[in-house]
Amino acid sequence: MLRKKYIPHSVAWELTLACNMNCTHCGSSAGATRPNELTTKEALDLCDQLHDLKVKNVNLTGGEPILRKDWIQIATKIRSLGMNISILSNGLAIDETRVALFKKLHIYAVAISLDGATPETHDGIRGVKGSFKKCLETLELLYKNDLPVTVITTVHKGNFEELPKIKDLILHKTRAWQIQIAVPIGRFPKEMMVSEKDFYALALFIASTRKQYSPKKLAIMGAHSIGYHSQIIRNTSVSPVWKGCQAGITVLGIQSDGSVKGCLSLPDTFIEGNIRTKKLSEIWNDPTSFSYSRHPCSSDLKNHCARCKYGNTCHGGCTTVSSSSTGSPHTDPYCLYSIEKRLGITR
């Protein structure tokens, strides 16, 4: 039997762990550079390895990716190989000069994090006074320069109620809004996660906003931790149909020290190898890699997922949310279908 060929269409690459903020929900506890980060030579070689694996989209993240001194050299190499680049930034270090570089690189998207509708909320979450004002100025600057802008909001108990006001703030500064829930990795405490009830209300908010605005006006989406098999709500997730965790199947994460995960947001227990000891293709094509997503079986499912009619296709939901909130994959408690059953909304 031929082994299935997997292609990492989208890669999240943590260029550096250095960051100019101190966010309460940061899953990687960013701030200082990670020990033994890749050299420029190693990073440029990694660009070639990504191309060899037929990667289409490279998302440069951090920390704050543009704090790495050679980021433009790395980005230029990626573009020269025909891959798209997106940059995930907190917006604090973006100015006219960097905007000009983004335009020169034909950046596919610039994603800016906005986590509150007031300075008190956003600055409190981000740990930098004045960051709310600067974030809005950055969004305006990017939009004015006709760059494709996405706003990312990470939701928890501290900002959940501000979502409608955040929507009003960004309507004329972006055409895309990604909402995701904070999970207990890094600095974020589990007790600050949204409740099941608020999670369901969040899905309803996304669905109702989609009805209110056309995708050309505001394309709103829930990240992969939102949207499994609801009997009431339709199309809240990035993908309209959930086919199981895509970590190690169509997506890949690389840390700034060369460590490889199926998804960058996963805990370090999910590291499959390091490009300093193996070629990226060897790690990716190893038949034992990413077994939690590539070779799931019914016996892996736990708790409500073990009894669910969607278990064999859903495979227990988002691996990051499941493993960080329960200690195990394949049992994501933040599942719309299971919440609807527990609340008596559906059978």
Side-chain angles (χ1 to χ4, degrees):
M1 179 183 293
L2 291 175
R3 183 161 53 90
K4 182 176 180 179
K5 186 174 179 61
Y6 301 99
I7 298 176
H9 297 296
S10 182
V11 171
W13 181 357
E14 174 197 275
L15 280 189
T16 179
L17 201 58
C19 193
N20 47 10
M21 288 190 175
N22 185 36
C23 305
T24 57
H25 60 261
C26 183
S28 52
S29 300
T33 56
R34 191 184 292 276
N36 201 23
E37 294 191 339
L38 297 177
T39 64
T40 301
K41 182 179 179 181
E42 289 172 324
L44 295 177
D45 180 67
L46 177 56
C47 295
D48 288 317
Q49 294 187 53
L50 292 171
H51 178 256
D52 290 344
L53 275 179
K54 303 187 186 307
V55 171
K56 294 180 179 178
N57 303 296
V58 181
N59 306 303
L60 301 180
T61 181
E64 175 57 42
I66 60 177
L67 293 184
R68 179 165 169 139
K69 293 181 179 179
D70 59 357
W71 78 268
I72 185 65
Q73 190 175 350
I74 296 168
T76 300
K77 178 67 179 288
I78 293 169
R79 288 296 295 130
S80 73
L81 293 168
M83 293 177 280
N84 295 322
I85 299 175
S86 296
I87 291 182
L88 174 56
S89 172
N90 57 42
L92 198 60
I94 292 179
D95 54 17
E96 293 276 4
T97 300
R98 288 193 167 101
V99 165
L101 291 172
F102 294 164
K103 295 185 77 170
K104 186 177 180 181
L105 285 164
H106 301 286
I107 293 292
Y108 184 77
V110 183
I112 302 295
S113 299
L114 178 63
D115 295 311
T118 65
E120 291 76 20
T121 302
H122 181 85
D123 293 2
I125 291 169
R126 292 270 151 184
V128 176
K129 189 175 181 179
S131 59
F132 176 75
K133 180 175 181 291
K134 172 58 178 173
C135 181
L136 295 184
E137 290 172 350
T138 297
L139 287 172
E140 191 67 43
L141 177 63
L142 293 166
Y143 194 71
K144 182 181 71 176
N145 279 273
D146 202 29
L147 281 161
V149 186
T150 297
V151 171
I152 297 180
T153 300
T154 303
V155 181
H156 48 74
K157 289 180 180 178
N159 63 358
F160 170 74
E161 293 185 355
E162 295 190 15
L163 286 172
K165 292 181 179 178
I166 294 174
K167 178 192 68 178
D168 293 339
L169 274 176
I170 67 175
L171 268 176
H172 303 294
K173 295 181 174 65
T174 182
R175 291 195 178 95
W177 187 18
Q178 177 175 308
I179 299 176
Q180 57 201 28
I181 62 169
V183 296
I185 303 176
R187 287 192 284 262
F188 189 71
K190 186 175 181 178
E191 58 268 22
M192 284 298 291
M193 287 186 76
V194 293
S195 66
E196 283 189 359
K197 183 178 179 181
D198 285 346
F199 180 81
Y200 197 76
L202 171 59
L204 288 171
F205 171 79
I206 294 172
S208 64
T209 303
R210 280 188 169 180
K211 290 181 180 179
Q212 187 178 2
Y213 301 100
S214 70
K216 290 184 178 180
K217 179 70 174 178
L218 182 65
I220 181 172
M221 66 209 82
H224 287 156
S225 55
I226 301 173
Y228 311 140
H229 304 295
S230 167
Q231 305 301 289
I232 311 297
I233 307 168
R234 293 290 179 266
N235 273 352
T236 59
S237 184
V238 173
S239 302
V241 179
W242 176 257
K243 297 179 180 178
C245 176
Q246 292 299 296
I249 296 177
T250 60
V251 300
L252 179 66
I254 303 171
Q255 293 183 170
S256 55
D257 62 357
S259 297
V260 176
K261 302 175 182 177
C263 173
L264 194 56
S265 62
L266 285 167
D268 284 353
T269 51
F270 285 84
I271 290 174
E272 303 285 349
N274 191 290
I275 63 165
R276 283 179 165 140
T277 56
K278 279 186 177 181
K279 286 285 189 182
L280 183 60
S281 59
E282 293 179 58
I283 298 172
W284 181 259
N285 292 318
D286 189 323
T288 66
S289 293
F290 317 106
S291 60
Y292 56 91
S293 57
R294 291 184 179 180
H295 311 295
C297 56
S298 298
S299 60
D300 294 328
L301 300 171
K302 301 176 181 67
N303 302 321
H304 60 281
C305 294
R307 303 181 297 273
C308 181
K309 65 181 180 180
Y310 296 112
N312 289 328
T313 54
C314 175
H315 306 306
C318 175
T319 304
T320 295
V321 177
S322 180
S323 60
S324 63
S325 58
T326 73
S328 300
H330 310 298
T331 181
D332 184 354
Y334 287 82
C335 159
L336 297 182
Y337 177 63
S338 65
I339 292 172
E340 287 173 349
K341 287 186 70 177
R342 285 193 286 274
L343 295 178
I345 298 173
T346 188
R347 293 183 179 181

Coordinates of all heavy atoms in Angstrom, one line a residue, residues 91-162:
G91 N 2.1 45.2 15.9 CA 2.0 46.6 15.3 C 2.8 47.7 16.0 O 2.9 48.8 15.4
L92 N 3.4 47.4 17.1 CA 4.2 48.4 17.8 C 5.4 48.9 17.0 O 5.7 50.1 17.1 CB 4.6 47.8 19.2 CG 5.0 48.8 20.3 CD1 3.9 49.8 20.6 CD2 5.5 48.1 21.5
A93 N 6.0 48.1 16.3 CA 7.3 48.5 15.6 C 7.1 48.8 14.1 O 8.0 49.0 13.4 CB 8.3 47.4 15.7
I94 N 5.8 48.8 13.7 CA 5.5 49.1 12.2 C 5.5 50.6 12.0 O 4.7 51.3 12.7 CB 4.2 48.4 11.8 CG1 4.4 46.9 11.8 CG2 3.8 48.9 10.4 CD1 3.2 46.1 11.4
D95 N 6.2 51.1 11.0 CA 6.3 52.5 10.7 C 6.3 52.6 9.1 O 6.1 51.6 8.4 CB 7.5 53.2 11.3 CG 8.8 52.5 10.9 OD1 8.8 51.6 10.0 OD2 9.8 52.7 11.6
E96 N 6.4 53.8 8.6 CA 6.4 54.0 7.2 C 7.5 53.2 6.5 O 7.2 52.7 5.4 CB 6.6 55.5 6.9 CG 5.4 56.4 7.4 CD 4.3 56.5 6.4 OE1 4.4 55.8 5.3 OE2 3.3 57.2 6.6
T97 N 8.6 53.2 7.1 CA 9.8 52.4 6.4 C 9.4 51.0 6.3 O 9.6 50.4 5.2 CB 11.0 52.6 7.3 OG1 11.4 54.0 7.4 CG2 12.2 51.8 6.6
R98 N 8.9 50.4 7.3 CA 8.6 48.9 7.3 C 7.4 48.7 6.3 O 7.3 47.7 5.7 CB 8.3 48.4 8.7 CG 9.6 48.3 9.5 CD 9.4 47.5 10.7 NE 10.7 47.1 11.3 CZ 11.3 47.7 12.3 NH1 10.6 48.8 12.9 NH2 12.4 47.4 12.8
V99 N 6.4 49.6 6.3 CA 5.3 49.5 5.4 C 5.8 49.5 3.9 O 5.3 48.7 3.1 CB 4.3 50.6 5.6 CG1 3.3 50.7 4.4 CG2 3.5 50.4 6.9
A100 N 6.8 50.3 3.6 CA 7.4 50.4 2.3 C 8.0 49.0 2.0 O 7.9 48.5 0.8 CB 8.4 51.5 2.2
L101 N 8.7 48.4 2.9 CA 9.3 47.1 2.7 C 8.2 46.0 2.5 O 8.4 45.2 1.6 CB 10.1 46.7 3.9 CG 11.4 47.5 4.2 CD1 12.1 47.1 5.5 CD2 12.4 47.2 3.0
F102 N 7.1 46.1 3.2 CA 6.0 45.2 3.0 C 5.5 45.3 1.6 O 5.2 44.2 0.9 CB 4.8 45.5 4.0 CG 5.1 45.2 5.4 CD1 4.3 45.8 6.4 CD2 6.2 44.5 5.8 CE1 4.5 45.6 7.8 CE2 6.5 44.3 7.2 CZ 5.6 44.8 8.2
K103 N 5.3 46.5 1.1 CA 4.8 46.7 -0.3 C 5.8 46.1 -1.3 O 5.4 45.5 -2.3 CB 4.5 48.2 -0.5 CG 3.4 48.7 0.4 CD 3.1 50.1 0.1 CE 2.3 50.2 -1.2 NZ 1.7 51.6 -1.4
K104 N 7.1 46.4 -1.0 CA 8.1 45.9 -2.0 C 8.1 44.4 -2.0 O 8.4 43.8 -3.1 CB 9.5 46.4 -1.5 CG 10.6 46.1 -2.5 CD 11.9 46.7 -2.0 CE 13.1 46.4 -3.0 NZ 14.4 47.0 -2.5
L105 N 7.8 43.7 -0.9 CA 7.8 42.3 -0.8 C 6.5 41.7 -1.4 O 6.4 40.4 -1.4 CB 8.0 41.8 0.6 CG 9.4 41.9 1.2 CD1 9.4 41.8 2.7 CD2 10.3 40.9 0.6
H106 N 5.5 42.5 -1.6 CA 4.2 42.0 -2.0 C 3.6 41.1 -1.0 O 3.2 40.0 -1.3 CB 4.2 41.4 -3.4 CG 4.7 42.3 -4.5 ND1 3.9 43.3 -5.0 CD2 5.9 42.3 -5.1 CE1 4.6 43.9 -6.0 NE2 5.8 43.4 -6.1
I107 N 3.6 41.6 0.3 CA 3.1 40.8 1.4 C 1.7 40.3 1.1 O 0.8 41.1 0.7 CB 3.2 41.6 2.7 CG1 4.7 41.9 3.1 CG2 2.5 40.9 3.8 CD1 5.5 40.7 3.5
Y108 N 1.5 39.0 1.4 CA 0.2 38.4 1.2 C -0.8 39.0 2.2 O -2.0 39.2 1.8 CB 0.3 36.9 1.3 CG -1.0 36.2 1.0 CD1 -1.4 36.0 -0.3 CD2 -1.8 35.6 2.0 CE1 -2.6 35.3 -0.6 CE2 -3.0 35.0 1.7 CZ -3.4 34.8 0.4 OH -4.5 34.1 0.2
A109 N -0.4 39.1 3.4 CA -1.3 39.7 4.5 C -0.4 40.1 5.6 O 0.6 39.6 5.9 CB -2.3 38.7 4.9
V110 N -0.9 41.2 6.3 CA -0.3 41.7 7.6 C -1.4 41.5 8.6 O -2.4 42.1 8.5 CB 0.2 43.1 7.5 CG1 0.9 43.5 8.8 CG2 1.1 43.3 6.3
A111 N -1.1 40.6 9.6 CA -2.1 40.4 10.7 C -1.7 41.1 11.9 O -0.6 41.0 12.4 CB -2.2 38.9 11.0
I112 N -2.6 42.0 12.4 CA -2.3 42.8 13.6 C -3.2 42.4 14.7 O -4.4 42.2 14.6 CB -2.5 44.3 13.3 CG1 -1.7 44.7 12.1 CG2 -2.3 45.2 14.5 CD1 -0.2 44.7 12.3
S113 N -2.6 42.2 15.9 CA -3.4 41.8 17.1 C -4.0 43.0 17.8 O -3.4 43.9 18.1 CB -2.4 41.1 18.0 OG -1.9 39.9 17.4
L114 N -5.3 42.9 18.0 CA -6.1 43.9 18.7 C -7.0 43.1 19.7 O -7.9 42.3 19.3 CB -7.0 44.7 17.8 CG -7.9 45.8 18.5 CD1 -7.0 46.8 19.2 CD2 -8.8 46.5 17.4
D115 N -6.8 43.3 21.0 CA -7.4 42.5 22.0 C -8.4 43.2 22.9 O -8.8 42.7 23.9 CB -6.4 41.8 22.8 CG -5.6 40.8 22.0 OD1 -6.2 40.0 21.3 OD2 -4.3 40.8 22.0
G116 N -8.7 44.5 22.6 CA -9.6 45.2 23.4 C -10.2 46.4 22.7 O -9.6 46.9 21.6
A117 N -11.3 47.0 23.2 CA -11.9 48.1 22.5 C -11.6 49.4 23.3 O -12.0 50.5 22.9 CB -13.4 47.9 22.5
T118 N -10.7 49.3 24.3 CA -10.3 50.5 25.1 C -8.8 50.4 25.4 O -8.3 49.2 25.4 CB -11.1 50.6 26.4 OG1 -10.7 49.4 27.2 CG2 -12.6 50.6 26.2
P119 N -8.2 51.5 25.7 CA -6.8 51.4 26.1 C -6.6 50.6 27.4 O -5.6 49.9 27.5 CB -6.4 52.9 26.3 CG -7.4 53.7 25.5 CD -8.7 52.9 25.5
E120 N -7.5 50.7 28.3 CA -7.4 50.0 29.5 C -7.3 48.4 29.3 O -6.5 47.7 29.9 CB -8.6 50.3 30.5 CG -8.6 51.7 31.0 CD -9.0 52.7 30.0 OE1 -9.7 52.3 29.0 OE2 -8.7 53.9 30.2
T121 N -8.2 48.0 28.4 CA -8.2 46.5 28.2 C -7.1 46.1 27.3 O -6.3 45.1 27.7 CB -9.6 46.1 27.5 OG1 -10.7 46.5 28.3 CG2 -9.6 44.6 27.2
H122 N -6.9 46.7 26.2 CA -5.8 46.2 25.3 C -4.4 46.4 25.9 O -3.6 45.5 25.9 CB -5.9 47.0 24.0 CG -4.8 46.6 23.0 ND1 -5.0 45.6 22.1 CD2 -3.6 47.1 22.7 CE1 -3.9 45.4 21.4 NE2 -3.1 46.4 21.7
D123 N -4.2 47.6 26.5 CA -2.9 47.9 27.1 C -2.6 46.9 28.3 O -1.5 46.5 28.5 CB -2.8 49.3 27.6 CG -2.7 50.3 26.4 OD1 -2.8 49.9 25.2 OD2 -2.6 51.5 26.6
G124 N -3.7 46.6 29.0 CA -3.6 45.7 30.2 C -3.2 44.3 29.7 O -2.4 43.7 30.4
I125 N -3.8 43.8 28.7 CA -3.5 42.5 28.1 C -2.1 42.5 27.5 O -1.4 41.5 27.7 CB -4.6 42.1 27.1 CG1 -5.9 41.9 27.7 CG2 -4.1 40.8 26.3 CD1 -7.1 41.7 26.7
R126 N -1.8 43.5 26.8 CA -0.5 43.5 26.1 C 0.7 44.0 26.9 O 1.8 43.8 26.5 CB -0.6 44.5 24.9 CG -1.6 43.9 23.8 CD -0.9 43.1 22.8 NE -1.7 42.1 22.2 CZ -1.2 41.2 21.4 NH1 0.0 41.2 21.0 NH2 -2.0 40.3 20.9
G127 N 0.4 44.6 28.1 CA 1.5 44.9 29.0 C 2.3 46.1 28.6 O 3.4 46.4 29.1
V128 N 1.8 47.0 27.6 CA 2.5 48.1 27.2 C 1.5 49.3 27.1 O 0.6 49.3 26.3 CB 3.1 47.9 25.8 CG1 3.8 49.2 25.3 CG2 4.2 46.8 25.8
K129 N 1.8 50.3 27.9 CA 0.9 51.5 27.9 C 1.1 52.2 26.5 O 2.2 52.4 26.0 CB 1.3 52.5 29.0 CG 0.4 53.6 29.2 CD 0.8 54.5 30.4 CE -0.2 55.6 30.6 NZ 0.1 56.4 31.8
G130 N 0.0 52.6 25.9 CA 0.0 53.3 24.6 C -0.1 52.4 23.5 O -0.2 52.8 22.3
S131 N -0.1 51.0 23.7 CA -0.1 50.1 22.6 C -1.5 50.1 21.9 O -1.5 49.8 20.6 CB 0.2 48.7 23.1 OG -0.7 48.2 24.1
F132 N -2.6 50.4 22.5 CA -3.9 50.5 21.9 C -3.9 51.6 20.8 O -4.3 51.4 19.7 CB -5.0 50.7 22.9 CG -6.4 50.9 22.4 CD1 -7.1 49.8 21.9 CD2 -6.9 52.1 22.3 CE1 -8.4 50.0 21.4 CE2 -8.2 52.3 21.8 CZ -8.9 51.2 21.3
K133 N -3.4 52.7 21.2 CA -3.4 53.9 20.3 C -2.5 53.6 19.1 O -2.9 53.8 18.0 CB -2.9 55.1 21.0 CG -2.8 56.4 20.2 CD -2.4 57.6 21.1 CE -2.3 58.9 20.3 NZ -1.2 58.9 19.3
K134 N -1.3 53.0 19.4 CA -0.4 52.7 18.3 C -1.0 51.6 17.4 O -0.8 51.6 16.2 CB 0.9 52.2 18.9 CG 1.9 51.6 17.9 CD 2.3 52.6 16.8 CE 3.4 52.0 15.9 NZ 3.6 52.9 14.7
C135 N -1.7 50.6 18.0 CA -2.3 49.6 17.1 C -3.3 50.1 16.1 O -3.3 49.8 15.0 CB -3.0 48.5 18.1 SG -3.7 47.2 17.2
L136 N -4.1 51.0 16.6 CA -5.1 51.7 15.7 C -4.4 52.5 14.6 O -4.8 52.5 13.5 CB -6.1 52.5 16.5 CG -7.0 51.7 17.4 CD1 -8.0 52.7 18.1 CD2 -7.8 50.6 16.7
E137 N -3.4 53.2 15.0 CA -2.6 54.0 14.0 C -1.9 53.1 13.0 O -1.9 53.4 11.8 CB -1.5 54.8 14.8 CG -2.1 55.9 15.6 CD -1.0 56.6 16.5 OE1 0.1 56.1 16.6 OE2 -1.3 57.7 17.1
T138 N -1.4 51.9 13.4 CA -0.8 51.0 12.5 C -1.8 50.4 11.5 O -1.6 50.3 10.3 CB -0.2 49.8 13.3 OG1 0.9 50.4 14.1 CG2 0.4 48.8 12.4
L139 N -3.0 50.1 12.0 CA -4.1 49.6 11.2 C -4.4 50.6 10.1 O -4.6 50.3 8.9 CB -5.3 49.2 12.0 CG -5.2 47.9 12.8 CD1 -6.5 47.8 13.7 CD2 -5.1 46.7 11.9
E140 N -4.5 51.9 10.5 CA -4.8 53.0 9.6 C -3.7 53.1 8.6 O -4.0 53.3 7.4 CB -5.0 54.3 10.4 CG -5.6 55.4 9.6 CD -7.0 55.2 9.2 OE1 -7.8 54.7 10.0 OE2 -7.4 55.4 8.0
L141 N -2.5 53.0 9.0 CA -1.3 53.2 8.1 C -1.3 52.1 7.1 O -1.1 52.3 5.9 CB 0.0 53.2 8.9 CG 1.3 53.2 8.1 CD1 1.4 54.6 7.4 CD2 2.5 53.0 9.1
L142 N -1.5 50.9 7.5 CA -1.5 49.7 6.6 C -2.7 49.8 5.6 O -2.5 49.6 4.4 CB -1.6 48.4 7.3 CG -0.4 48.0 8.2 CD1 -0.8 46.9 9.2 CD2 0.8 47.6 7.3
Y143 N -3.9 50.2 6.1 CA -5.0 50.3 5.2 C -4.9 51.4 4.2 O -5.2 51.3 3.0 CB -6.3 50.5 6.1 CG -7.6 50.3 5.4 CD1 -8.0 49.0 5.0 CD2 -8.4 51.4 5.1 CE1 -9.2 48.8 4.3 CE2 -9.6 51.2 4.4 CZ -10.0 49.9 4.1 OH -11.2 49.7 3.4
K144 N -4.3 52.5 4.7 CA -4.1 53.7 3.8 C -3.1 53.3 2.7 O -3.2 53.8 1.5 CB -3.5 54.8 4.6 CG -3.3 56.1 3.8 CD -2.7 57.2 4.7 CE -1.3 56.9 5.1 NZ -0.6 58.0 5.9
N145 N -2.2 52.4 2.9 CA -1.2 52.0 1.9 C -1.7 50.8 1.1 O -0.9 50.2 0.4 CB 0.1 51.7 2.6 CG 0.9 53.0 2.9 OD1 1.7 53.4 2.0 ND2 0.8 53.5 4.1
D146 N -2.9 50.5 1.2 CA -3.6 49.4 0.4 C -2.9 48.1 0.6 O -2.8 47.3 -0.3 CB -3.5 49.8 -1.0 CG -4.6 49.1 -1.8 OD1 -5.6 48.7 -1.2 OD2 -4.4 48.8 -3.0
L147 N -2.5 47.8 1.9 CA -1.9 46.5 2.2 C -3.0 45.6 2.8 O -3.9 46.1 3.5 CB -0.8 46.6 3.2 CG 0.6 47.1 2.7 CD1 1.5 47.6 3.8 CD2 1.2 45.9 1.9
P148 N -3.0 44.3 2.4 CA -4.1 43.4 2.9 C -3.9 43.2 4.5 O -2.9 42.6 4.9 CB -3.8 42.1 2.2 CG -2.4 42.2 1.7 CD -2.1 43.6 1.6
V149 N -4.9 43.7 5.2 CA -4.8 43.7 6.7 C -5.8 42.7 7.3 O -6.9 42.7 6.9 CB -5.0 45.1 7.3 CG1 -4.7 45.1 8.8 CG2 -4.1 46.1 6.6
T150 N -5.3 41.9 8.2 CA -6.2 41.1 9.0 C -6.0 41.5 10.5 O -4.9 41.7 10.9 CB -5.9 39.6 8.8 OG1 -6.1 39.2 7.5 CG2 -6.7 38.7 9.8
V151 N -7.1 41.6 11.2 CA -7.1 41.8 12.6 C -7.3 40.5 13.3 O -8.2 39.7 12.9 CB -8.2 42.8 13.1 CG1 -8.2 42.9 14.6 CG2 -7.9 44.2 12.6
I152 N -6.4 40.2 14.3 CA -6.6 39.0 15.1 C -6.9 39.3 16.6 O -6.2 40.1 17.2 CB -5.3 38.1 15.1 CG1 -5.0 37.6 13.6 CG2 -5.4 36.9 16.0 CD1 -3.8 36.8 13.5
T153 N -8.0 38.8 17.1 CA -8.4 39.0 18.5 C -8.4 37.7 19.2 O -9.0 36.7 18.8 CB -9.8 39.6 18.5 OG1 -9.8 40.9 17.8 CG2 -10.2 39.9 20.0
T154 N -7.6 37.6 20.3 CA -7.6 36.4 21.1 C -8.5 36.6 22.3 O -8.3 37.5 23.1 CB -6.1 36.1 21.6 OG1 -5.3 36.0 20.4 CG2 -6.1 34.8 22.4
V155 N -9.5 35.8 22.4 CA -10.6 36.0 23.4 C -10.4 35.2 24.7 O -10.1 34.0 24.6 CB -11.9 35.7 22.7 CG1 -13.1 35.9 23.7 CG2 -12.1 36.5 21.4
H156 N -10.7 35.9 25.8 CA -10.7 35.2 27.1 C -11.7 36.0 28.0 O -12.4 36.9 27.5 CB -9.4 35.1 27.7 CG -8.6 36.4 27.7 ND1 -8.8 37.5 28.5 CD2 -7.5 36.8 26.9 CE1 -8.0 38.5 28.2 NE2 -7.2 38.1 27.3
K157 N -11.8 35.7 29.2 CA -12.8 36.3 30.1 C -12.5 37.8 30.2 O -13.4 38.6 30.5 CB -12.7 35.7 31.5 CG -13.3 34.3 31.5 CD -13.2 33.7 32.9 CE -13.8 32.3 33.0 NZ -13.7 31.7 34.3
G158 N -11.3 38.3 30.0 CA -10.9 39.7 30.2 C -11.4 40.6 29.1 O -11.4 41.8 29.3
N159 N -11.8 40.0 27.9 CA -12.1 40.9 26.8 C -13.4 40.4 26.0 O -13.8 41.0 25.0 CB -11.0 41.1 25.8 CG -10.5 39.8 25.2 OD1 -11.0 38.7 25.5 ND2 -9.5 39.9 24.3
F160 N -13.9 39.3 26.4 CA -15.0 38.7 25.7 C -16.2 39.7 25.4 O -16.7 39.8 24.3 CB -15.6 37.5 26.4 CG -16.8 36.9 25.9 CD1 -16.9 36.2 24.7 CD2 -18.1 37.1 26.5 CE1 -18.0 35.7 24.2 CE2 -19.2 36.6 26.0 CZ -19.2 35.9 24.9
E161 N -16.5 40.5 26.4 CA -17.7 41.4 26.2 C -17.4 42.6 25.3 O -18.4 43.3 25.0 CB -18.2 41.8 27.6 CG -18.7 40.7 28.5 CD -19.3 41.2 29.8 OE1 -19.1 42.4 30.1 OE2 -19.9 40.4 30.5
E162 N -16.2 42.8 25.0 CA -15.8 43.9 24.1 C -15.9 43.6 22.6 O -15.6 44.5 21.8 CB -14.5 44.5 24.5 CG -14.5 45.0 26.0 CD -13.2 45.8 26.3 OE1 -12.4 46.2 25.4 OE2 -12.9 46.0 27.5

